[in-house]
Amino acid sequence: MEIKAKIIDTHTHIYLEEFDADRDEVIRSAKEAGIEAVFLPNVDATTIASLLRLCDAEPAFAFPMMGLHPTSVDHTYVSQLQAVEKALTQRTFCGIGEIGIDLYWDKSHLKEQKIVFEEQLRWSRDMHLPVAIHTRDAFAEVFDSIYKVGADDLEGVFHCFSGTEADLAVIRRLSGFKIGINGIITFKNSPLPEMIRHIGTDRLLLETDAPYLAPSPHRGKRNEPVFLWEIVGKLAAILEILPEDVAQLTKKNTLQLFRSVNLFD
């Protein structure tokens, strides 16, 4: 795809070990392809150092979020939360993430996941930072926590949206929340292309979730930011607009939400 605009990967994990062998090349390729910036959500206490190292090395390109991922929540959640909270006091972050509730792999820590999620939602509210929400088989629980903490005082993105039409209807009533669209939209038989038409272009953000969920035709490979253009192309086809228009509107949406990041031309 010919590059006529710049785009932002709002959710990528290129600080993880899957990129240790060629991270510099991945970043170089991304920049050359018109990826203007990447937003890096944290996973847990073990990933904070590598996340911040990358952001220190690429301060104009890589922007950190800080949070505790729901699949890392177990009996150690108190110490994990403390590590994340300490990190939040030590520098500027563009958001709280990746946080949420995941009941796909394990339901045994639902109580702890809700405690952790709601505490981090309160941080978001009090610090006026958007949240990046991960939810899998747990939309009802996530919505319950959002309303409990205060839906009108929160804003963020439902990362890697994979919900139903009913879930989307609830999100559309949450005026401060947008929808993260990644490689899933390119998968065969994905319901997302039809649902996209009902989301509204002012709600759309671009993301890869690299190294996971590589879009077609790269499915099964390690994902990386440069593949974001496959998602742009798919969105352009669905919405019947130019790829450049997708780039421009998603950048506008991104910077409206992540206000601490200044990338306006």
Side-chain angles (χ1 to χ4, degrees):
M1 182 182 296
E2 184 180 356
I3 308 300
K4 294 184 179 179
K6 292 184 178 181
I7 52 178
I8 300 170
D9 186 347
T10 65
H11 195 113
T12 186
H13 301 277
I14 58 172
Y15 58 87
L16 294 179
E17 61 183 8
E18 286 88 345
F19 295 94
D20 284 354
D22 63 345
R23 185 173 293 108
D24 290 345
E25 174 62 22
V26 167
I27 292 172
R28 184 189 65 79
S29 296
K31 290 178 178 179
E32 290 179 354
I35 312 301
E36 186 173 11
V38 295
F39 296 175
L40 306 176
N42 188 52
V43 178
D44 55 34
T46 69
T47 58
I48 294 173
S50 57
L51 166 67
L52 297 184
R53 256 195 319 272
L54 174 54
C55 293
D56 287 340
E58 295 282 348
F61 177 72
F63 297 87
M65 300 185 216
M66 185 49 54
L68 176 57
H69 193 288
T71 61
S72 293
V73 174
D74 56 21
H75 66 281
T76 68
Y77 77 90
V78 173
S79 61
Q80 290 264 18
L81 265 184
Q82 288 173 342
V84 168
E85 187 174 22
K86 180 180 179 181
L88 277 168
T89 67
Q90 295 177 334
R91 65 186 298 153
T92 299
F93 291 89
C94 68
I96 304 293
E98 174 175 358
I99 70 175
I101 299 175
D102 189 315
L103 301 180
Y104 179 80
W105 298 108
D106 183 3
K107 297 179 174 64
S108 64
H109 293 293
L110 172 58
K111 178 181 178 181
E112 291 86 352
Q113 285 194 43
K114 282 186 70 69
I115 291 170
V116 169
F117 181 45
E118 290 170 10
E119 177 66 7
Q120 293 179 103
L121 287 177
R122 286 188 286 270
W123 295 348
S124 166
R125 179 195 63 198
D126 296 344
M127 299 177 71
H128 305 289
L129 289 174
V131 290
I133 294 179
H134 169 111
T135 178
R136 197 169 183 191
D137 289 358
F139 274 94
E141 291 80 3
V142 163
F143 293 148
D144 178 71
S145 291
I146 287 174
Y147 280 106
K148 179 180 176 181
V149 173
D152 293 338
D153 299 320
L154 296 167
E155 59 183 351
V157 54
F158 280 84
H159 147 66
C160 187
F161 179 74
S162 58
T164 65
E165 291 277 5
D167 297 326
L168 180 58
V170 176
I171 294 171
R172 291 178 69 187
R173 293 195 293 271
L174 296 170
S175 61
F177 283 84
K178 301 189 186 298
I179 304 288
I181 304 298
N182 59 19
I184 291 176
I185 198 173
T186 69
F187 294 177
K188 186 177 181 181
N189 300 323
S190 169
L192 266 181
E194 180 59 34
M195 295 173 71
I196 286 293
R197 298 181 177 90
H198 305 295
I199 290 176
T201 57
D202 61 331
R203 296 285 191 116
L204 299 176
L205 301 186
L206 301 174
E207 58 177 44
T208 59
D209 202 22
Y212 316 110
L213 296 173
S216 298
H218 309 286
R219 210 173 168 187
K221 301 178 182 178
R222 181 192 68 177
N223 200 4
E224 57 182 87
V226 71
F227 295 159
L228 200 59
W229 283 109
E230 304 292 348
I231 300 161
V232 171
K234 184 69 174 180
L235 276 173
I238 293 168
L239 298 172
E240 299 181 333
I241 61 177
L242 294 173
E244 292 77 16
D245 294 332
V246 172
Q248 291 170 3
L249 70 88
T250 53
K251 178 176 177 177
K252 179 181 178 181
N253 295 344
T254 297
L255 299 182
Q256 284 178 340
L257 181 62
F258 293 92
R259 289 183 294 274
S260 67
V261 178
N262 183 12
L263 294 174
F264 282 112
D265 296 329

